[in-house]
Amino acid sequence: MRLTRAEVERHNGKATCWVAIHGSVYDVTDFVASHPGGPNIILRCAGKDATEDFDAVHDQEIITQSLAPSALRGYIEPGTLVKSSDINEPQSPNRDASLPPPLNSLLNLHDFEIVAQRHLPPNAWAYYASGAEDEISKRQNSKAFQKVSLRPRILRSVPAVDTTSTILGKQVSLPVYMSAVGIAKLAHPDGERALAAAAGKEGLAQLLANGANNVIEGVMDARTNPEQPMFQQLYVNRDIKKSEDVVRRAERAGASAIWITVDSPVVGKREMDERYNLQVEARDDPSRKGQGVAKTMASFISPCINWDILSWLRGLTRLPIVIKGIQCVEDAVQAYHCGVQGIVLSNHGGRSQDTAQAPLLTLLEIRRYAPFLLDSKMQIFIDGGVRRGTDVLKAVALGATAVGLGRPTLYSLAAGYGEQGVRRAIEILRQEIESNMVFLGVRNLKELGPHLLNTARLERDVVGSVKL
């Protein structure tokens, strides 16, 4: 049935909410309250053409998964309605409309961040870049690596280096994996599919976010190598059956492991993200709270889980289990005794609790108080603040299996770079890792060790008393 503009625009509130997507008009009134991103996101689109807002964060398939067939009310000619994106997006004088620089002119991962800030939509930059409160943890994550010095060895005759490693039984070309990053389509329309294509061509593993824009089947199809490893992130939903669905769907799609994220039981106070959304929503409805994208997207996460959740997960799947979000040696030991296959030392990129210690500091705690973990079958990963090949080598030398890259993968997608941008970023990191291995006099990753580091400045920050 063909609908008119007036017919659709009448349904513009919580009591009756219709939205148009690619010319199809849906009644989403009953879905508003249960929308994972919160009701305000949909209500901003009520009675309008929501196509651009929808495409920025979703695959078309999500409609059939979320709405009953009866929700379709009819069709409207594209261009008839006001676009929700025109109303919701404030003018951004800081966004650079010029062409981005050629990829070969970007020489390090910091360059990608500068370009991304200039070219990303302001809502995307606010979501990606924001840290919690004063962003101390976000900064300290990088500074921890800077406190560790290298001890180069000379006259070692290193004609070539081998950077290959194994993550949960899967061979990769670098001790690096793509961390779970949410709403990747804000950086590039191909989102996680572009990351998958780049990971396959560069020989990396990818961790797919629980809140990925692209469904796992589509991301698996975008892989360029049928053997490339794909892991599934899991946030435990308040509705546990939805988490069961995530795990079972990941298994069916061919995921190689489940990474349960526990370092953000509630969302940190990410003020840049909240401030931007407060400005946007205040124009439409001064009574709205203006909470950031992070809080609306994470409203489904259960804050009430404990260590028993691992028994539930093990009863659900035989895939390897990794706990993401270990922030002290005591919890690392507890995870080991629970029999998980891996842990990620992470403070959520400084996005959860501000002044939480840097993950590299947690790794030093493990070396001091529980060194047996470094020789165990449980692999130790680390993320947060990694921007240089030397950062990767320092983490591996201290006992990490691999490091995760989060924000850098999003920044390298931005400005229209897509898959090629991600590959360029990995190429830069690979070159830095290889050249610095030569400086250290090592031929492969197994030859790395704490003897090649001076950790004295960081060791001063290691806690002096631990109860295990």
Side-chain angles (χ1 to χ4, degrees), residues 425-462:
I426 297 170
E427 176 190 24
I428 290 170
L429 200 62
R430 187 187 304 278
Q431 291 171 348
E432 292 180 353
I433 290 171
E434 291 176 347
S435 62
N436 281 284
M437 286 177 69
V438 176
F439 283 131
L440 290 171
V442 299
R443 296 176 174 81
N444 55 63
L445 300 178
K446 292 180 180 179
E447 293 181 0
L448 291 170
H451 62 287
L452 294 171
L453 306 177
N454 182 336
T455 59
R457 285 191 295 163
L458 192 60
E459 291 277 4
R460 299 190 197 109
D461 298 331
V462 176

Side-chain angles (χ1 to χ4, degrees), residues 161-167 170-179 202-205 379-383 386 388-397 399-405 426 429-430 432-434 437 444-446 448:
V161 295
D162 178 6
T163 62
T164 58
S165 185
T166 302
I167 298 178
K170 305 293 183 180
Q171 187 171 11
V172 290
S173 69
L174 292 173
V176 175
Y177 64 91
M178 293 183 181
S179 295
E202 296 297 332
L204 299 192
Q379 293 189 317
I380 298 176
F381 308 102
I382 185 171
D383 69 21
V386 175
R388 288 287 186 178
T390 48
D391 298 339
V392 177
L393 296 176
K394 290 172 185 179
V396 174
T401 297
V403 305
L405 286 182
I426 297 170
L429 200 62
R430 187 187 304 278
E432 292 180 353
I433 290 171
E434 291 176 347
M437 286 177 69
N444 55 63
L445 300 178
K446 292 180 180 179
L448 291 170

